[in-house]
């Protein structure tokens, strides 16, 4: 279980870096807000995993948050 959490931590850090990279690539206010909220969602998931929250629930929360931010809003402007 610890190895799974550690592995997920790597993916979450990569996701955070991706959002940070995207922040530098856009000047669209709506996109910037969604990206910042995406980073917040990743950080929250990391905190859940560090707090020993059920892995499936933590990832479900992350997926739901990211879907509401990005899937329904269309692609990010560049």
């Amino acid at each position: 279980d610890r190895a799974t959490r550690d592995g997920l931590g790597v993916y979450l850090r990569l996701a955070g870096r991706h959002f940070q990279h995207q922040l530098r690539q856009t000047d669209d206010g709506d996109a910037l807000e969604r990206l910042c909220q995406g980073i917040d969602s990743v950080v929250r998931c990391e905190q859940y995993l560090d707090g020993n929250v059920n892995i499936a629930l933590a990832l479900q929360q992350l997926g739901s948050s990211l879907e509401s931010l990005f899937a329904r809003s269309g692609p990010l402007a560049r």
Side-chain angles (χ1 to χ4, degrees), residues 14-23 35 38-39 42 66 70:
L14 289 171
R17 287 182 188 153
H18 173 74
F19 288 140
Q20 290 173 343
H21 175 75
Q22 292 297 314
L23 280 171
L35 288 164
I39 291 170
V42 169
L66 295 179
F70 298 106

Side-chain angles (χ1 to χ4, degrees), residues 9 31-32 34 37-38 52 58 67 70:
L32 290 170
R34 289 192 318 249
Q37 290 177 3
N52 212 27
E67 178 182 21
F70 298 106

Side-chain angles (χ1 to χ4, degrees), residues 32-70:
L32 290 170
E33 179 66 26
R34 289 192 318 249
L35 288 164
C36 288
Q37 290 177 3
I39 291 170
D40 288 344
S41 295
V42 169
V43 169
R44 188 177 319 112
C45 187
E46 289 175 325
Q47 291 170 338
Y48 288 161
L49 293 175
D50 288 344
N52 212 27
V53 170
N54 179 281
I55 292 171
L57 291 176
L59 293 177
Q60 182 180 24
Q61 178 278 326
L62 176 63
S64 177
S65 294
L66 295 179
E67 178 182 21
S68 69
L69 289 171
F70 298 106

